[in-house]
Amino acid sequence: MKRILFVCHGNICRSPMAEFIMKKLVEEAHLQDSFHIASAATSTEELGNGVYPPARRKLAEHGISCSGKTALQLTRRDYEEYDLLIGMDSYNIRNMRRICGGDPEGKIRMLMEYTSRPGEVADPWYTGDFNATYRDCLDGCKGLLQSLQTA
């Protein structure tokens, strides 16, 4: 079983969007028994809070439910428990390495590495553009799933 943890700053926008998009893609490919997918935050600011309403609405527009999801914090132990820890931007990656004590096994990656346009996932907290974030997460998750299926 492949264990994937998506990570962003607060775990209320980008990482839960990626988590639930990936879950849907995995389900559509009939691979749900082969994956464990979750998300977490690098900060404590939003712990226990649900998915930010505009992010929840954007997922719902595409038939994706994130019901019951609340923000959790990344821990050092997560590094041992997950095969991949996928960050949304360079700030997240820096904090993920700090929390995890480095990245000796090369498990920490950027989501957009799995697309033809590497970089950072658009942060809707600042841009207000949940369409761009959804598109980035969808493209990244499709690329990630494809890379895992061909590995």
Side-chain angles (χ1 to χ4, degrees):
M1 175 171 290
K2 198 61 134 172
R3 300 177 57 83
I4 302 167
L5 185 66
F6 293 100
V7 182
C8 71
H9 183 74
N11 193 215
I12 61 168
C13 293
R14 294 176 293 172
S15 60
M17 288 178 82
E19 172 188 353
F20 289 97
I21 289 169
M22 187 69 167
K23 284 178 176 177
K24 182 174 182 172
L25 293 173
V26 163
E27 182 181 328
E28 288 172 347
H30 306 288
L31 296 170
Q32 54 270 46
D33 292 340
S34 301
F35 288 89
H36 173 79
I37 303 161
S39 64
T42 59
S43 78
T44 60
E45 295 168 26
E46 300 289 347
L47 295 184
N49 290 337
V51 176
Y52 190 52
R56 189 171 57 240
R57 285 192 295 273
K58 181 52 62 183
L59 289 170
E61 283 176 24
H62 297 276
I64 301 171
S65 172
C66 58
S67 179
K69 170 64 183 171
T70 57
L72 304 170
Q73 187 175 25
L74 174 70
T75 67
R76 190 177 201 125
R77 184 173 176 200
D78 289 329
Y79 191 84
E80 297 165 18
E81 294 189 6
Y82 286 89
D83 301 304
L84 286 171
L85 293 88
I86 308 292
M88 303 295 129
D89 63 35
S90 56
Y91 180 72
N92 301 151
I93 297 293
R94 189 169 44 253
N95 285 330
M96 291 163 68
R97 286 185 176 131
R98 179 183 48 78
I99 292 167
C100 294
D103 184 19
E105 297 176 45
K107 295 179 177 186
I108 297 176
R109 309 290 297 269
M110 291 261 285
L111 181 59
M112 297 305 287
E113 286 179 33
Y114 297 95
T115 72
S116 61
R117 48 189 176 84
E120 301 190 344
V121 173
D123 190 343
W125 188 258
Y126 299 105
T127 67
D129 188 349
F130 286 84
N131 289 321
T133 304
Y134 182 86
R135 189 172 45 254
D136 285 351
C137 288
L138 179 61
D139 291 349
C141 288
K142 282 181 175 179
L144 172 59
L145 182 57
Q146 183 178 2
S147 78
L148 293 171
Q149 287 179 299
T150 58

